[in-house]
Amino acid sequence: MNGICRVVVQGKQTENSIVAKAYMKIINVVQKRIDFSTPNLRFDTDGEGKEFNSTLIYAMLKRARVDEIKIDVVSNGIDASGTESGYHLRGLAKKAFAKGKFRAAKAYLKAQDIIAKSIAKKQYKKMGFMAKTLGIDAWSLSNHIHAKQMIFDRILTSTGSFNFDSHSYKNHESTIICLDKKLAHEAELGLTMDKVNSVPVY
């Protein structure tokens, strides 16, 4: 069926982690592939963990190993790992340069660089961990990505606020899950363009 969408929302009026539980149900029935983009990957690499972000990652890893499900993940690389704080610091540097405050501008840029490298180091560790698992291709985007998007079997898509970190399983979050051929095609095209502008992580 085309054009069938459902919105999943979690917060004070709903059960915590309901978005993650919805994703888990889909992950468990995927037949061929999962493609997704996320700003960050923060999960326990020493075990499956108790939090839903780790549980979701390990569920995908298990499907890749056991059922040979193809999985592609696109996330931020060192050029974009400063996230919103990096964007803000670069903006402050630009304003400082415009006002002739060169020392302050350089300090902002140096702080942004330190943050970017710190985040990128952790990010590469997680992406490298996933890349070592059979069937999983990890892509490091050369630009900043903020999208939290998933494509299942090239027919079901989701877009929302849920991050693969230690907070989203209990925060106010929402996602829309759609079974729509045209939307899935557009989402896949966008994700393919992100891969073109990325480098593979080994």
Side-chain angles (χ1 to χ4, degrees):
M1 295 182 288
N2 287 330
I4 304 299
C5 296
R6 294 291 182 267
V7 176
V8 183
V9 180
Q10 69 183 42
K12 290 184 179 180
Q13 304 302 317
T14 61
E15 179 185 359
N16 282 340
S17 75
I18 195 170
V19 172
K21 288 179 179 178
Y23 281 148
M24 183 66 81
K25 286 183 177 290
I26 298 169
I27 289 167
N28 287 334
V29 297
V30 165
Q31 296 181 22
K32 293 185 178 181
R33 66 178 300 125
I34 300 171
D35 299 272
F36 70 103
S37 64
T38 179
N40 52 53
L41 288 161
R42 296 175 188 165
F43 60 95
D44 181 10
T45 56
D46 298 323
E48 296 192 15
K50 296 180 180 180
E51 297 175 353
F52 257 98
N53 58 309
S54 291
T55 305
L56 286 172
I57 293 293
Y58 275 91
M60 287 191 277
L61 296 178
K62 183 178 179 181
R63 294 300 313 276
R65 288 195 305 263
V66 177
D67 302 314
E68 298 185 353
I69 298 296
K70 182 73 177 72
I71 299 175
D72 277 34
V73 55
V74 179
S75 193
N76 286 316
I78 192 167
D79 295 332
S81 293
T83 62
E84 287 77 20
S85 60
Y87 179 82
H88 182 64
L89 286 168
R90 288 191 298 273
L92 290 173
K94 186 177 179 180
K95 289 179 181 178
F97 270 123
K99 293 179 179 179
K101 298 179 179 179
F102 302 115
R103 185 175 293 178
K106 288 179 180 179
Y108 288 134
L109 291 176
K110 185 175 181 180
Q112 188 274 329
D113 187 56
I114 292 170
I115 292 170
K117 287 179 179 177
S118 173
I119 295 173
K121 185 177 179 180
K122 295 176 183 178
Q123 187 78 345
Y124 267 85
K125 182 180 178 181
K126 306 297 184 182
M127 295 179 79
F129 178 83
M130 295 188 78
K132 290 176 184 176
T133 303
L134 180 65
I136 294 183
D137 287 330
W139 302 86
S140 175
L141 189 67
S142 58
N143 198 355
H144 179 61
I145 189 170
H146 190 66
K148 279 77 76 167
Q149 189 172 44
M150 302 187 80
I151 310 170
F152 305 96
D153 283 335
R154 306 178 75 177
I155 57 170
L156 186 71
T157 63
S158 73
T159 303
S161 61
F162 187 90
N163 284 294
F164 285 93
D165 59 21
S166 58
H167 306 291
S168 285
Y169 79 103
K170 57 187 177 181
N171 280 353
H172 285 272
E173 306 289 355
S174 63
T175 189
I176 183 167
I177 302 170
C178 293
L179 182 61
D180 185 272
K181 187 175 181 180
K182 183 179 179 182
L183 181 62
H185 176 73
E186 291 175 355
E188 187 174 23
L189 179 61
L191 201 56
T192 299
M193 291 302 296
D194 286 338
K195 291 176 190 176
V196 169
N197 292 297
S198 302
V199 294
V201 177
Y202 297 102

